[in-house]
Amino acid sequence: MDYLIIIEQTEDGYSAYVPDLPGCISIGKDKAEVEKNIREAIIFHIEGMKEDGEEIPTAKSDAYKINIPSVA
């Protein structure tokens, strides 16, 4: 299953979260590290949900970039 991840630059590196898996977050010093870490976090999160007998959410989120012309 493909989950949307949101990556944001922070003062110390990068953070990531998964909108369809509340509470699933990770950090990294660069984009490559945060992508690796969030992948591991997703797997760990889903395994925990399965152990707790929770339903695994389907991926519903989507994201787009929209170009906004300069406003002067």
Coordinates of all heavy atoms in Angstrom, one line a residue:
M1 N 0.9 -1.2 0.0 CA 0.0 0.0 0.0 C 0.9 1.2 0.0 O 1.9 1.3 0.7 CB -0.9 0.0 1.2 CG -1.9 1.1 1.2 SD -3.1 1.1 2.6 CE -3.8 -0.5 2.3
D2 N 0.5 2.2 -0.7 CA 1.2 3.5 -0.8 C 0.6 4.5 0.1 O -0.6 4.8 0.0 CB 1.2 4.1 -2.2 CG 2.0 3.2 -3.2 OD1 3.0 2.6 -2.7 OD2 1.7 3.2 -4.4
Y3 N 1.4 5.0 1.1 CA 0.9 6.1 2.0 C 1.6 7.4 1.6 O 2.8 7.4 1.4 CB 1.2 5.8 3.4 CG 0.3 4.7 4.0 CD1 0.7 3.4 4.2 CD2 -1.0 5.1 4.5 CE1 -0.2 2.5 4.7 CE2 -1.8 4.2 5.0 CZ -1.4 2.9 5.1 OH -2.3 1.9 5.7
L4 N 0.8 8.5 1.6 CA 1.4 9.8 1.4 C 2.2 10.2 2.7 O 1.7 10.0 3.8 CB 0.3 10.8 1.3 CG 0.7 12.3 1.2 CD1 1.5 12.6 -0.1 CD2 -0.5 13.2 1.3
I5 N 3.4 10.7 2.5 CA 4.2 11.2 3.6 C 4.4 12.7 3.3 O 4.6 13.1 2.2 CB 5.5 10.5 3.8 CG1 6.4 10.6 2.6 CG2 5.3 9.0 4.2 CD1 7.9 10.1 2.8
I6 N 4.4 13.4 4.4 CA 4.7 14.9 4.3 C 6.1 15.1 4.9 O 6.3 14.7 6.1 CB 3.6 15.7 5.0 CG1 2.2 15.4 4.5 CG2 4.0 17.2 4.9 CD1 2.0 15.8 3.0
I7 N 7.0 15.7 4.2 CA 8.3 16.0 4.7 C 8.4 17.5 4.8 O 8.1 18.2 3.9 CB 9.4 15.4 3.8 CG1 9.3 13.9 3.7 CG2 10.8 15.9 4.2 CD1 10.2 13.3 2.7
E8 N 8.9 17.9 6.0 CA 9.1 19.3 6.2 C 10.5 19.6 6.7 O 11.0 18.8 7.5 CB 8.1 19.8 7.3 CG 6.7 19.7 6.9 CD 5.7 20.0 8.0 OE1 6.0 19.9 9.2 OE2 4.6 20.4 7.6
Q9 N 11.1 20.6 6.2 CA 12.5 21.0 6.7 C 12.3 21.7 8.0 O 11.4 22.5 8.3 CB 13.2 21.9 5.7 CG 14.6 22.1 6.0 CD 15.4 22.8 4.9 OE1 14.8 23.3 3.9 NE2 16.7 22.8 5.0
T10 N 13.2 21.3 9.0 CA 13.3 22.0 10.3 C 14.6 22.7 10.5 O 15.5 22.6 9.6 CB 13.1 20.9 11.4 OG1 14.2 20.0 11.4 CG2 11.8 20.1 11.2
E11 N 14.8 23.3 11.6 CA 16.1 23.9 11.9 C 17.2 22.9 12.0 O 18.4 23.3 11.7 CB 16.0 24.7 13.2 CG 15.1 25.9 13.1 CD 15.1 26.7 14.5 OE1 16.0 26.5 15.3 OE2 14.2 27.5 14.6
D12 N 16.9 21.7 12.4 CA 18.0 20.7 12.6 C 18.0 19.6 11.5 O 18.9 18.7 11.6 CB 17.7 20.0 14.0 CG 17.8 21.0 15.1 OD1 18.6 22.0 15.0 OD2 17.1 20.8 16.1
G13 N 17.1 19.6 10.6 CA 17.1 18.6 9.6 C 15.7 18.5 8.9 O 15.2 19.5 8.4
Y14 N 15.1 17.3 9.0 CA 13.8 17.1 8.4 C 12.9 16.3 9.3 O 13.4 15.5 10.1 CB 13.9 16.4 7.0 CG 14.6 17.2 6.0 CD1 15.9 17.3 5.9 CD2 13.8 17.9 5.1 CE1 16.5 18.1 4.9 CE2 14.4 18.7 4.1 CZ 15.7 18.8 4.0 OH 16.3 19.6 3.1
S15 N 11.6 16.5 9.2 CA 10.6 15.7 9.9 C 9.6 15.2 8.9 O 9.5 15.8 7.8 CB 9.9 16.5 11.0 OG 9.1 17.5 10.4
A16 N 8.9 14.1 9.2 CA 8.0 13.5 8.3 C 6.8 13.0 9.1 O 7.0 12.5 10.2 CB 8.6 12.4 7.5
Y17 N 5.6 13.0 8.5 CA 4.5 12.4 9.1 C 3.6 11.8 8.0 O 3.7 12.1 6.8 CB 3.7 13.3 10.0 CG 3.0 14.5 9.3 CD1 1.7 14.4 8.9 CD2 3.7 15.7 9.0 CE1 1.1 15.5 8.3 CE2 3.1 16.7 8.4 CZ 1.8 16.7 8.0 OH 1.2 17.7 7.4
V18 N 2.6 10.9 8.4 CA 1.8 10.2 7.5 C 0.3 10.6 7.9 O -0.2 10.2 8.9 CB 1.9 8.7 7.7 CG1 1.1 8.0 6.6 CG2 3.4 8.3 7.5
P19 N -0.3 11.4 7.1 CA -1.7 11.9 7.4 C -2.7 10.8 7.7 O -3.6 10.9 8.5 CB -2.1 12.7 6.2 CG -0.8 13.2 5.6 CD 0.1 12.1 5.8
D20 N -2.5 9.6 7.0 CA -3.5 8.5 7.1 C -3.2 7.6 8.3 O -3.9 6.7 8.6 CB -3.6 7.7 5.8 CG -4.2 8.5 4.7 OD1 -5.2 9.2 4.9 OD2 -3.6 8.4 3.6
L21 N -2.0 7.9 9.0 CA -1.7 7.1 10.1 C -1.3 8.0 11.3 O -0.2 8.3 11.6 CB -0.5 6.2 9.8 CG -0.6 5.1 8.8 CD1 0.7 4.4 8.5 CD2 -1.7 4.1 9.2
P22 N -2.4 8.6 11.9 CA -2.1 9.6 13.0 C -1.1 9.0 14.0 O -1.2 7.9 14.4 CB -3.5 9.8 13.6 CG -4.4 9.4 12.5 CD -3.8 8.3 11.7
G23 N -0.2 9.9 14.4 CA 0.9 9.5 15.3 C 2.1 8.9 14.7 O 3.1 8.7 15.4
C24 N 2.1 8.6 13.4 CA 3.2 8.0 12.8 C 4.1 9.2 12.2 O 3.8 9.8 11.3 CB 2.8 7.1 11.6 SG 4.2 6.2 10.9
I25 N 5.2 9.4 12.9 CA 6.1 10.5 12.6 C 7.6 10.0 12.7 O 7.9 9.0 13.2 CB 6.0 11.7 13.6 CG1 6.3 11.2 15.0 CG2 4.6 12.3 13.5 CD1 6.3 12.3 16.0
S26 N 8.5 10.8 12.1 CA 9.9 10.5 12.1 C 10.7 11.7 11.9 O 10.2 12.8 11.4 CB 10.2 9.4 11.1 OG 11.6 8.9 11.4
I27 N 12.0 11.7 12.1 CA 12.9 12.8 11.8 C 14.2 12.2 11.2 O 14.4 11.0 11.2 CB 13.3 13.5 13.1 CG1 14.0 12.6 14.1 CG2 12.1 14.2 13.7 CD1 14.6 13.3 15.3
G28 N 15.0 13.1 10.6 CA 16.2 12.7 10.0 C 17.1 13.9 9.7 O 16.6 15.0 9.6
K29 N 18.4 13.7 9.5 CA 19.3 14.9 9.3 C 19.2 15.4 7.9 O 19.5 16.5 7.6 CB 20.7 14.5 9.6 CG 21.3 13.4 8.8 CD 22.7 13.1 9.1 CE 23.2 12.0 8.2 NZ 24.0 11.0 8.8
D30 N 18.7 14.5 6.9 CA 18.5 14.9 5.5 C 17.3 14.1 5.0 O 16.7 13.3 5.7 CB 19.8 14.7 4.7 CG 20.3 13.2 4.8 OD1 19.5 12.3 4.9 OD2 21.5 13.0 4.7
K31 N 16.9 14.5 3.7 CA 15.7 13.8 3.2 C 15.9 12.3 3.1 O 14.9 11.6 3.3 CB 15.4 14.4 1.8 CG 14.8 15.8 1.9 CD 14.4 16.3 0.5 CE 13.7 17.6 0.6 NZ 13.3 18.1 -0.7
A32 N 17.0 11.9 2.7 CA 17.2 10.4 2.5 C 17.0 9.7 3.9 O 16.4 8.7 3.9 CB 18.6 10.1 2.0
E33 N 17.6 10.3 4.9 CA 17.4 9.6 6.2 C 16.0 9.7 6.7 O 15.5 8.7 7.3 CB 18.4 10.3 7.3 CG 18.3 9.6 8.6 CD 19.3 10.2 9.6 OE1 19.3 11.5 9.8 OE2 20.0 9.4 10.2
V34 N 15.3 10.8 6.5 CA 13.9 10.9 7.0 C 13.0 9.9 6.2 O 12.1 9.3 6.8 CB 13.4 12.3 7.1 CG1 13.0 12.8 5.7 CG2 12.2 12.4 8.0
E35 N 13.3 9.8 4.9 CA 12.5 8.8 4.1 C 12.7 7.4 4.6 O 11.8 6.6 4.7 CB 12.9 8.9 2.7 CG 12.3 10.2 2.0 CD 12.7 10.3 0.6 OE1 12.9 9.3 -0.1 OE2 12.7 11.5 0.1
K36 N 14.0 7.0 4.9 CA 14.3 5.7 5.4 C 13.6 5.5 6.8 O 13.0 4.5 7.0 CB 15.8 5.5 5.6 CG 16.2 4.3 6.3 CD 17.7 4.3 6.5 CE 18.2 3.3 7.5 NZ 17.8 3.5 8.9
N37 N 13.7 6.5 7.7 CA 13.1 6.4 9.0 C 11.6 6.4 9.0 O 11.0 5.6 9.8 CB 13.6 7.6 9.9 CG 15.1 7.5 10.2 OD1 15.7 6.5 10.0 ND2 15.6 8.6 10.6
I38 N 11.0 7.1 8.1 CA 9.5 7.1 8.1 C 9.0 5.8 7.5 O 8.0 5.3 7.9 CB 8.9 8.4 7.3 CG1 7.4 8.5 7.7 CG2 9.1 8.3 5.8 CD1 7.1 8.9 9.1
R39 N 9.7 5.2 6.6 CA 9.3 3.9 6.1 C 9.4 2.9 7.2 O 8.4 2.1 7.4 CB 10.3 3.5 5.0 CG 10.0 2.1 4.3 CD 10.9 1.7 3.2 NE 11.1 2.8 2.2 CZ 10.3 3.0 1.2 NH1 9.3 2.2 1.0 NH2 10.5 4.0 0.3
E40 N 10.4 2.9 8.0 CA 10.5 2.0 9.2 C 9.4 2.3 10.2 O 8.8 1.4 10.8 CB 11.9 2.1 9.8 CG 13.0 1.6 9.0 CD 14.4 1.9 9.5 OE1 14.5 2.6 10.6 OE2 15.4 1.5 8.9
A41 N 9.1 3.6 10.4 CA 8.1 4.0 11.3 C 6.7 3.5 10.9 O 5.9 3.1 11.7 CB 8.0 5.5 11.5
I42 N 6.4 3.6 9.6 CA 5.1 3.1 9.0 C 5.0 1.6 9.3 O 3.9 1.1 9.8 CB 5.0 3.4 7.5 CG1 4.9 4.9 7.3 CG2 3.8 2.7 6.9 CD1 5.0 5.4 5.9
I43 N 6.0 0.8 9.0 CA 6.0 -0.6 9.2 C 5.7 -0.9 10.7 O 4.9 -1.7 11.1 CB 7.3 -1.3 8.7 CG1 7.3 -1.2 7.2 CG2 7.4 -2.7 9.2 CD1 8.7 -1.5 6.6
F44 N 6.5 -0.3 11.6 CA 6.4 -0.5 13.0 C 5.0 -0.1 13.5 O 4.3 -0.8 14.3 CB 7.4 0.4 13.8 CG 7.4 0.2 15.2 CD1 7.9 -0.9 15.8 CD2 6.9 1.2 16.1 CE1 7.9 -1.1 17.2 CE2 6.9 1.1 17.4 CZ 7.4 -0.1 18.0
H45 N 4.4 1.1 13.0 CA 3.1 1.6 13.4 C 2.0 0.5 13.0 O 1.2 0.2 13.8 CB 2.9 2.9 12.7 CG 1.7 3.7 13.2 ND1 1.8 4.6 14.2 CD2 0.4 3.7 12.8 CE1 0.6 5.1 14.5 NE2 -0.2 4.6 13.6
I46 N 2.1 0.0 11.7 CA 1.1 -0.9 11.3 C 1.2 -2.2 12.0 O 0.2 -2.8 12.4 CB 1.2 -1.1 9.7 CG1 0.8 0.2 9.0 CG2 0.4 -2.3 9.3 CD1 1.0 0.2 7.5
E47 N 2.4 -2.7 12.3 CA 2.6 -3.9 13.1 C 2.0 -3.8 14.5 O 1.3 -4.7 14.9 CB 4.1 -4.3 13.2 CG 4.7 -4.8 11.9 CD 6.2 -5.1 12.0 OE1 6.8 -4.6 13.0 OE2 6.7 -5.7 11.1
G48 N 2.1 -2.6 15.1 CA 1.5 -2.4 16.4 C 0.0 -2.3 16.3 O -0.7 -2.9 17.2
M49 N -0.5 -1.7 15.3 CA -2.0 -1.7 15.1 C -2.5 -3.1 14.9 O -3.6 -3.5 15.5 CB -2.4 -0.8 13.9 CG -2.1 0.6 14.1 SD -2.5 1.6 12.6 CE -4.3 1.7 12.9
K50 N -1.8 -3.9 14.2 CA -2.3 -5.3 14.0 C -2.2 -6.1 15.3 O -3.2 -6.8 15.6 CB -1.4 -6.0 12.9 CG -1.6 -5.6 11.5 CD -0.7 -6.4 10.6 CE -1.0 -6.0 9.1 NZ -0.1 -6.7 8.2
E51 N -1.2 -5.9 16.1 CA -1.1 -6.6 17.4 C -2.2 -6.2 18.3 O -2.7 -7.0 19.1 CB 0.3 -6.3 18.0 CG 1.4 -7.0 17.4 CD 2.8 -6.7 18.0 OE1 2.8 -6.0 19.1 OE2 3.8 -7.0 17.4
D52 N -2.6 -4.9 18.2 CA -3.7 -4.4 19.0 C -5.1 -4.7 18.5 O -6.1 -4.3 19.0 CB -3.5 -2.9 19.2 CG -2.3 -2.6 20.1 OD1 -1.8 -3.4 20.8 OD2 -1.9 -1.4 20.0
G53 N -5.1 -5.4 17.3 CA -6.4 -5.7 16.7 C -7.1 -4.5 16.0 O -8.3 -4.6 15.8
E54 N -6.4 -3.5 15.8 CA -7.0 -2.3 15.1 C -7.0 -2.5 13.6 O -6.2 -3.2 13.0 CB -6.1 -1.1 15.4 CG -6.1 -0.7 16.9 CD -5.3 0.5 17.2 OE1 -5.3 1.4 16.4 OE2 -4.6 0.5 18.3
E55 N -8.0 -1.8 13.0 CA -8.1 -1.9 11.6 C -7.1 -1.0 10.9 O -6.8 0.2 11.4 CB -9.5 -1.4 11.1 CG -9.8 -1.5 9.7 CD -11.2 -1.1 9.3 OE1 -12.1 -1.2 10.2 OE2 -11.4 -0.6 8.2
I56 N -6.4 -1.4 9.9 CA -5.4 -0.6 9.2 C -6.0 0.3 8.3 O -6.8 -0.1 7.4 CB -4.4 -1.6 8.5 CG1 -3.8 -2.7 9.4 CG2 -3.3 -0.7 7.8 CD1 -3.2 -2.2 10.7
P57 N -5.8 1.6 8.4 CA -6.5 2.6 7.6 C -6.0 2.5 6.1 O -4.8 2.2 5.9 CB -6.0 4.0 8.1 CG -5.4 3.7 9.5 CD -5.0 2.3 9.5
T58 N -6.9 2.7 5.2 CA -6.5 2.7 3.8 C -5.9 4.1 3.5 O -6.3 5.1 4.2 CB -7.7 2.4 2.9 OG1 -8.7 3.4 3.1 CG2 -8.2 1.0 3.1
A59 N -5.1 4.2 2.6 CA -4.5 5.4 2.2 C -5.5 6.2 1.4 O -6.0 5.8 0.4 CB -3.2 5.2 1.3
K60 N -5.8 7.4 1.9 CA -6.8 8.3 1.3 C -6.3 9.7 0.9 O -6.8 10.4 0.1 CB -8.0 8.5 2.2 CG -8.8 7.2 2.5 CD -9.9 7.5 3.5 CE -10.6 6.2 3.8 NZ -11.6 6.3 4.8
S61 N -5.2 10.1 1.5 CA -4.6 11.4 1.3 C -3.9 11.5 0.0 O -3.4 10.5 -0.5 CB -3.7 11.8 2.4 OG -4.3 11.8 3.7
D62 N -3.9 12.7 -0.5 CA -3.2 13.0 -1.8 C -2.6 14.4 -1.6 O -3.1 15.2 -0.8 CB -4.1 13.0 -3.0 CG -3.5 12.6 -4.3 OD1 -2.2 12.7 -4.3 OD2 -4.1 12.4 -5.2
A63 N -1.6 14.8 -2.4 CA -1.0 16.1 -2.3 C -0.7 16.6 -3.7 O -0.3 15.8 -4.6 CB 0.2 16.0 -1.4
Y64 N -0.7 17.9 -3.8 CA -0.4 18.5 -5.1 C 0.4 19.8 -4.8 O 0.1 20.4 -3.7 CB -1.6 18.9 -5.9 CG -2.5 17.7 -6.3 CD1 -3.5 17.4 -5.5 CD2 -2.2 17.0 -7.4 CE1 -4.3 16.3 -5.8 CE2 -3.0 15.9 -7.8 CZ -4.1 15.6 -7.0 OH -4.8 14.5 -7.3
K65 N 1.2 20.2 -5.7 CA 1.8 21.6 -5.6 C 1.1 22.4 -6.6 O 0.8 22.0 -7.7 CB 3.3 21.5 -5.9 CG 4.2 20.9 -4.9 CD 5.6 21.1 -5.2 CE 6.5 20.6 -4.1 NZ 7.9 20.8 -4.4
I66 N 0.8 23.6 -6.1 CA 0.1 24.6 -7.0 C 1.0 25.8 -7.2 O 1.4 26.4 -6.2 CB -1.3 25.0 -6.4 CG1 -2.2 23.8 -6.3 CG2 -1.9 26.1 -7.2 CD1 -3.5 24.1 -5.6
N67 N 1.2 26.2 -8.4 CA 2.0 27.4 -8.7 C 1.2 28.6 -8.6 O 0.1 28.8 -9.2 CB 2.6 27.3 -10.1 CG 3.5 28.4 -10.4 OD1 3.1 29.6 -10.6 ND2 4.8 28.2 -10.4
I68 N 1.6 29.5 -7.7 CA 0.9 30.8 -7.5 C 1.8 31.9 -8.1 O 3.0 32.0 -7.6 CB 0.6 31.1 -6.0 CG1 -0.1 29.9 -5.4 CG2 -0.1 32.4 -5.8 CD1 -1.5 29.7 -6.0
P69 N 1.3 32.7 -9.0 CA 2.2 33.8 -9.5 C 2.5 34.8 -8.5 O 1.8 35.0 -7.5 CB 1.3 34.4 -10.6 CG 0.0 33.8 -10.6 CD 0.0 32.7 -9.6
S70 N 3.7 35.4 -8.6 CA 4.1 36.4 -7.7 C 3.1 37.5 -7.6 O 2.6 38.0 -8.6 CB 5.5 37.0 -8.2 OG 5.9 37.9 -7.3
V71 N 2.8 37.9 -6.4 CA 1.9 39.0 -6.1 C 2.7 40.2 -5.7 O 3.3 40.2 -4.7 CB 0.8 38.6 -5.1 CG1 -0.2 39.8 -4.8 CG2 0.1 37.3 -5.4
A72 N 2.6 41.3 -6.5 CA 3.3 42.5 -6.2 C 2.5 43.6 -5.8 O 1.3 43.7 -6.1 CB 4.2 42.9 -7.4

